[in-house]
């Protein structure tokens, strides 16, 4: 009996925590860290404010938990890529992963964008060091690909910045995209946009587009 009650409590607790995170992601995407209110998050999650503070202690703690989740969300096969891998396959999959996140979690991208636009005041030293370390590792792999003649000479930083800018645009500027297209993007639309973006970036790097993205 005690074990079954404990499992139920864990299940309810995890459900509430996820509801709070989903609600907070939307509120932070709309209002940023300063503008969002714990009560608004609680109302959107349909839970008492005390529940939010029970699970996350403070608005800052909740915000940092979401930032950490977003950075994990952006992990991909590119993280483990080496010089021995095919850059066309690696970059195509990376772009596709980024586009899929823009489709499924647009508010996460918007929230992170607002944090960066405001100077990243809430990204602590650990997050910044972790992000810088990831960037240095990926730049080194791209440089080795260039040195081996696997792709044309290009600045690895600019290549990654362009991938981020073009893929996250579909999340951060979704309102503009929907307005100009006259309708929201469907999953099929995203698939077509993904293939176009992969073709644009890979051919610009002197690479052939993998068959699955043609």
């Amino acid at each position: 009996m005690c074990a079954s009650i404990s499992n139920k409590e864990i299940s309810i607790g995890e459900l509430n925590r996820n509801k709070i995170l989903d609600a907070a992601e939307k509120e932070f995407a709309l209002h940023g860290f300063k503008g969002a209110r714990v009560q608004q998050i609680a109302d959107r999650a349909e839970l008492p404010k005390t529940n939010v503070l029970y699970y996350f202690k403070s608005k800052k703690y909740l915000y940092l938990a979401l930032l950490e989740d977003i950075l994990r969300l952006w992990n991909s096969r590119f993280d483990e890529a080496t010089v021995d891998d095919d850059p066309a396959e690696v970059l195509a999959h990376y772009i596709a992963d980024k586009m899929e996140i823009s489709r499924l979690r647009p508010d996460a991208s918007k929230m992170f964008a607002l944090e960066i636009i405001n100077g990243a005041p809430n990204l602590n030293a650990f997050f910044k060091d972790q992000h810088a370390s990831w960037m240095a590792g990926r730049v080194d792999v791209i440089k080795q690909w260039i040195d081996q003649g696997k792709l044309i000479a290009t600045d690895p930083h600019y290549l990654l910045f362009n991938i981020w800018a073009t893929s996250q645009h579909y999340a951060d500027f979704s309102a503009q995209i929907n307005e100009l297209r006259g309708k929201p993007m469907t999953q099929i639309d995203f698939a077509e946009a993904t293939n176009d973006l992969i073709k644009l970036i890979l051919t610009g790097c002197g690479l052939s587009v993998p068959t699955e993205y043609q």
Side-chain angles (χ1 to χ4, degrees):
M1 178 67 71
C2 289
S4 63
I5 291 175
S6 177
N7 289 338
K8 182 178 180 181
E9 288 175 347
I10 292 173
S11 177
I12 292 173
E14 191 65 23
L15 177 63
N16 285 343
R17 191 175 186 277
N18 288 337
K19 288 173 68 176
I20 292 167
L21 286 170
D22 288 344
E25 188 171 287
K26 291 180 173 62
E27 287 297 318
F28 288 131
L30 286 170
H31 307 293
F33 175 73
K34 289 185 178 180
R37 298 289 180 265
V38 175
Q39 186 61 61
Q40 293 171 325
I41 294 170
D43 291 345
R44 186 181 287 273
E46 298 182 338
L47 292 169
K49 180 178 177 180
T50 52
N51 277 38
V52 176
L53 296 176
Y54 171 79
Y55 289 106
F56 293 99
K57 299 180 183 178
S58 69
K59 183 175 76 167
K60 181 68 173 286
Y61 189 90
L62 173 56
Y63 187 78
L64 291 177
L66 274 171
L67 286 178
E68 184 176 356
D69 180 63
I70 292 168
L71 292 176
R72 283 198 304 266
L73 179 67
W74 282 335
N75 288 344
S76 70
R77 285 164 286 189
F78 186 33
D79 297 8
E80 306 300 326
T82 71
V83 66
D84 296 323
D85 293 317
D86 179 0
E89 292 285 344
V90 171
L91 293 176
H93 288 314
Y94 183 51
I95 295 165
D97 287 344
K98 295 283 290 179
M99 287 290 286
E100 185 68 355
I101 293 169
S102 285
R103 182 177 76 86
L104 297 176
R105 294 281 298 276
D107 289 327
S109 182
K110 291 173 184 175
M111 175 186 160
F112 191 81
L114 281 176
E115 173 68 17
I116 299 302
I117 288 170
N118 287 308
N122 298 292
L123 280 176
N124 63 28
F126 171 76
F127 287 143
K128 291 178 180 178
D129 290 346
Q130 185 182 54
H131 201 39
S133 177
W134 178 92
M135 186 70 166
R138 299 310 85 200
V139 165
D140 184 60
V141 170
I142 295 171
K143 284 181 177 178
Q144 292 183 67
W145 284 336
I146 293 170
D147 290 343
Q148 292 187 1
K150 290 184 176 181
L151 73 162
I152 64 174
T154 186
D155 187 304
H157 290 89
Y158 296 159
L159 173 59
L160 291 174
F161 294 157
N162 282 323
I163 290 174
W164 298 348
T166 49
S167 60
Q168 289 168 225
H169 178 90
Y170 286 90
D172 301 343
F173 292 88
S174 57
Q176 175 179 259
I177 291 171
N178 294 342
E179 178 68 24
L180 294 175
R181 294 182 74 252
K183 58 182 179 180
M185 289 186 67
T186 66
Q187 186 172 355
I188 293 175
D189 294 330
F190 263 93
E192 293 175 348
T194 298
N195 289 349
D196 282 350
L197 183 55
I198 289 171
K199 179 180 178 181
L200 180 66
I201 292 177
L202 263 60
T203 55
C205 292
L207 300 170
S208 297
V209 177
T211 302
E212 63 183 296
Y213 297 112
Q214 292 179 3

